[in-house]
Amino acid sequence: MRREAVFLLLGLLWALDVGAQSPTTSGTAPPDNEIPAGASIYAKPKPPVRLETREGRLVRPGDQVDANDALDEILDEFAADVARLGANRVSPILLERVQVSENMNPEFASILEARMVSAIYRAVNVRVVRCFECYATHAEVDNGAWVVRRGISRREDLQALAKKYNAQVVLKASLTLHTSPNAMAFDVEFVRAEDSSIFFAEGYRVHPHTAMLYRSADKMQSREVRLKDLEDRINARPHFNHALHLGATVIPTVGHPDGAIWAAYTAYRFTEAFGEDRTWRAGVTLAGILNPTRMVGAVISGTLLSRLNPENVYSINCFGGGSVGFLLTGVQGNSPMLNAQLECVLAHRVTLQGSLGYLVPFKSSAESSYTVGGLSPQAGVAFTW
């Protein structure tokens, strides 16, 4: 009996020990804070970066520019102006009249209206309300006379319509197509309804050859550049230009058996841009002339250049001007020198340049019988920055 009690007690202790052991990890789920074996993690793709709308100009390579592209650029620029005015200052907008020039199909006015409103809606959250009375013809008897009016003809009518539509400003737009040369003009005007004052007016032009977008028919639309230029002028920050020239020059001689002097030419030019559009450049040129057997000299001159063609990122930009300086040779002699210069920037840095100068003739030395001077051509390349 005692033996059976011992075996029963040992069996009970064994059962309690097995139950206290932790289960094996095989076939069980991992804790919540652990990743199962073989699992993959996929990162959520980042949203694409939205490019901010920047003012620019429409410049396309080629001889022709599609009129629809130019018109879209104009309308987008106008919509950007509306956005800058602020929705709380212009919304709702009462659309009074959209018209086209006589050389265009009158039905295009409705297409222009739709594209203009679409461009505004893309740029800013405003309401554009169509004015039905603005196109209607009104007839009434005034002091015994039969009077016929079309559209808004009195200030009281404008105020009444604005109050009826709950509008702050009235929009008028006109598109003009010129054919000699081909050009497009878009003129808009916002009139404040409460006092009939002109709240905003602007004209947009497309250049007939370069398709550049202009404002008010004479200013190129590059506001950020013009603003920076104005800030630089106010803060007295100059715009410098540097150029390193490498080439060859020919200096004529009279009475020397070897003839003219052929020499290597190198120069460093330092100029500052000035003028309303910074088309002028004035500065100093330091040049060296080297012919090991016949002449070693330096030229110090003042330089003035001007842009010859309108600026265009797709065309070669050329400058013309001249310089007045002095040739210093030390042993052989010194003499004034005048140059007429022409250079063309091929893209941004490499420049083809040439000049035709006149060196006032002088005796090479007191003992020699030949003179140095006359028309002196020079040509080469330059690196500008």
Side-chain angles (χ1 to χ4, degrees):
M1 186 67 180
R2 185 178 297 175
R3 183 182 296 178
E4 295 175 355
V6 173
F7 284 116
L8 180 61
L9 180 60
L10 292 175
L12 179 60
L13 293 176
W14 178 81
L16 292 175
D17 182 66
V18 173
Q21 293 181 2
S22 59
T24 59
T25 57
S26 60
T28 59
D32 295 338
N33 59 350
E34 294 185 5
I35 301 175
S40 300
I41 300 177
Y42 297 95
K44 183 179 180 181
K46 296 181 179 180
V49 179
R50 297 187 61 183
L51 299 179
E52 297 181 1
T53 303
R54 297 291 184 185
E55 293 186 6
R57 55 192 180 187
L58 179 65
V59 184
R60 294 181 54 187
D63 299 332
Q64 297 180 352
V65 177
D66 190 271
N68 285 306
D69 293 340
L71 182 58
D72 288 340
E73 186 74 11
I74 289 176
L75 296 178
D76 288 342
E77 180 59 24
F78 166 62
D81 285 340
V82 176
R84 279 186 287 269
L85 292 174
N88 58 339
R89 302 176 63 190
V90 298
S91 182
I93 300 174
L94 184 62
L95 189 59
E96 178 189 354
R97 182 172 66 250
V98 176
Q99 58 185 9
V100 296
S101 56
E102 295 181 355
N103 58 348
M104 300 179 64
N105 189 343
E107 296 180 356
F108 186 73
S110 59
I111 301 176
L112 174 63
E113 176 183 323
R115 295 173 66 174
M116 179 181 65
V117 174
S118 176
I120 294 175
Y121 283 163
R122 289 196 304 266
V124 62
N125 185 21
V126 299
R127 291 174 53 213
V128 180
V129 184
R130 179 188 295 276
C131 178
F132 293 95
E133 290 86 344
C134 297
Y135 299 92
T137 302
H138 308 275
E140 61 180 355
V141 178
D142 187 6
N143 294 328
W146 183 261
V147 180
V148 179
R149 297 187 180 93
R150 179 176 177 81
I152 303 175
S153 58
R154 297 180 301 182
R155 178 182 176 183
E156 294 78 8
D157 297 339
L158 175 61
Q159 292 176 342
L161 285 174
K163 184 177 180 180
K164 176 181 177 181
Y165 289 103
N166 192 28
Q168 295 193 66
V169 295
V170 178
L171 171 60
K172 299 179 182 179
S174 176
L175 179 65
T176 305
L177 179 63
H178 302 282
T179 56
S180 298
N182 295 331
M184 192 177 297
F186 184 67
D187 299 280
V188 295
E189 184 181 89
F190 280 127
V191 178
R192 198 188 303 273
E194 60 181 4
D195 56 4
S196 300
S197 62
I198 297 177
F199 177 69
F200 172 82
E202 187 60 274
Y204 307 87
R205 305 290 187 269
V206 174
H207 193 276
H209 303 298
T210 63
M212 289 186 180
L213 182 58
Y214 290 76
R215 288 173 173 269
S216 301
D218 58 352
K219 296 298 180 183
M220 185 173 63
Q221 182 241 326
S222 53
R223 285 191 168 184
E224 292 182 0
V225 176
R226 295 187 65 85
L227 176 60
K228 184 180 182 301
D229 182 70
L230 179 59
E231 292 175 349
D232 291 344
R233 293 175 188 268
I234 294 175
N235 298 323
R237 289 196 295 263
H239 286 192
F240 293 128
N241 297 278
H242 307 266
L244 179 62
H245 297 255
L246 299 172
T249 185
V250 180
I251 300 177
T253 61
V254 177
H256 195 281
D258 295 337
I261 301 174
W262 289 76
Y265 177 89
T266 180
Y268 167 73
R269 188 181 66 211
F270 174 80
T271 57
E272 179 183 357
F274 67 97
E276 181 179 358
D277 296 323
R278 297 194 185 271
T279 56
W280 291 86
R281 296 181 180 181
V284 177
T285 301
L286 304 176
I289 298 176
L290 175 61
N291 185 311
T293 60
R294 300 187 60 183
M295 175 180 285
V296 176
V299 179
I300 303 176
S301 59
T303 304
L304 179 64
L305 298 173
S306 176
R307 183 184 295 275
L308 300 179
N309 60 323
E311 183 179 7
N312 191 327
V313 296
Y314 288 106
S315 66
I316 298 175
N317 297 311
C318 295
F319 294 84
S323 62
V324 178
F326 214 79
L327 173 65
L328 305 174
T329 62
V331 177
Q332 292 175 310
N334 308 317
S335 181
M337 188 172 188
L338 295 85
N339 280 283
Q341 301 176 222
L342 176 65
E343 62 182 46
C344 292
V345 183
L346 302 182
H348 303 287
R349 295 291 180 263
V350 179
T351 303
L352 298 180
Q353 59 87 29
S355 66
L356 180 61
Y358 178 76
L359 178 63
V360 178
F362 63 94
K363 288 286 184 180
S364 62
S365 64
E367 296 79 9
S368 64
S369 59
Y370 72 93
T371 60
V372 179
L375 292 177
S376 177
Q378 181 271 328
V381 297
F383 182 80
T384 61
W385 69 96

